[in-house]
Amino acid sequence: KGSPSRSNGASPTHWQQNGGKALLSITISDPEKHGSSSSLTNAFVDFKIETRTELPQFCAKEFFVRRRYRDFVWLRKQLCEHFPGAIVPPLPVVDSLLTDDRFSADFVQRRQAGLELFLRRVVRHDELSTSTDLQMFLEAKVWELQTAKNQTAPSWYSMLFDGPEASLQRVRTSLTRKAPDGAPLERLRAFTNSYTS
């Protein structure tokens, strides 16, 4: 089969191993608007993410999904939580919702390029590229991804009433889970432990 189509200037994102042989190739293309312009709260744009891989953990060698910006936000949050010692790349930021129409061709094109850069950096990272959350993001059906997002999202009650102690406990837990040792990390651990007292 030929290489995936690359509309709107999309270029493949690669993760390479074994002497430069590409094992994971991701292309973001075909932005599509859903919902009406009159209802800006329900309208959104999603992107087609095509994946070609030889990695054994994936179910197929070629597949695609459609993802919207909030799905990328979930992926980044999961990567930050599960890899606290790693530098997780940033997502593209909104310039200004007051001056920039989020459905304009320029805005969508900038966002697509930023999301592709984000994924390119994630799949090139030794640890982040092995994430099961990344795998789910790349191959899960919409309802499967939504189920995973619902399981990992804090409830509105806990967000409102847990307070700073619970937030510090979450930080403390994530720091002790999988972070590498180091002086700056030890100072942060000591700070979170002493803060509650």
Side-chain angles (χ1 to χ4, degrees):
K1 299 178 183 179
S3 63
S5 62
R6 292 183 202 136
S7 62
N8 300 324
S11 59
T13 299
H14 297 288
W15 179 67
Q16 298 184 350
Q17 184 178 349
N18 298 336
K21 183 179 180 185
L23 296 177
L24 182 59
S25 172
I26 301 171
T27 304
I28 300 181
S29 61
D30 302 330
E32 187 176 297
K33 182 182 173 189
H34 301 270
S36 68
S37 298
S38 60
S39 175
L40 291 178
T41 56
N42 293 331
F44 65 92
V45 174
D46 67 6
F47 302 89
K48 182 178 183 181
I49 303 174
E50 295 178 89
T51 304
R52 299 177 71 192
T53 183
E54 298 171 11
L55 296 173
Q57 65 263 34
F58 289 93
C59 295
K61 292 187 182 250
E62 294 184 29
F63 48 91
F64 75 90
V65 291
R66 296 201 68 90
R67 298 289 184 245
R68 56 189 291 188
Y69 185 77
R70 70 171 56 167
D71 298 328
F72 284 86
V73 171
W74 173 84
L75 173 61
R76 187 175 191 282
K77 177 183 162 294
Q78 292 299 106
L79 293 174
C80 289
E81 185 176 319
H82 294 124
F83 298 92
I87 298 174
V88 179
L91 288 169
V93 295
V94 176
D95 296 338
S96 171
L97 286 177
L98 298 176
T99 60
D100 215 353
D101 174 15
R102 65 187 176 119
F103 299 113
S104 71
D106 288 341
F107 181 84
V108 171
Q109 191 172 28
R110 283 195 314 272
R111 175 162 279 184
Q112 178 180 326
L115 293 175
E116 186 165 324
L117 180 60
F118 166 76
L119 277 182
R120 180 181 305 132
R121 290 174 173 171
V122 168
V123 299
R124 286 184 180 168
H125 191 283
D126 290 337
E127 288 183 72
L128 301 180
S129 62
T130 63
S131 167
T132 56
D133 294 312
L134 174 63
Q135 182 179 350
M136 175 171 286
F137 175 84
L138 291 176
E139 68 179 355
K141 293 175 174 57
V142 173
W143 67 268
E144 292 172 325
L145 184 64
Q146 188 58 50
T147 301
K149 287 165 67 175
N150 291 342
Q151 290 173 349
T152 58
S155 70
W156 64 270
Y157 181 86
S158 66
M159 290 171 58
L160 287 176
F161 297 107
D162 282 354
E165 289 80 18
S167 297
L168 284 171
Q169 181 59 37
R170 282 189 214 104
V171 170
R172 195 178 303 119
T173 302
S174 68
L175 286 174
T176 57
R177 190 180 306 151
K178 196 176 174 182
D181 290 328
L185 196 55
E186 290 304 320
R187 287 195 300 272
L188 185 57
R189 283 185 183 132
F191 172 77
T192 59
N193 288 331
S194 67
Y195 184 81
T196 54
S197 62

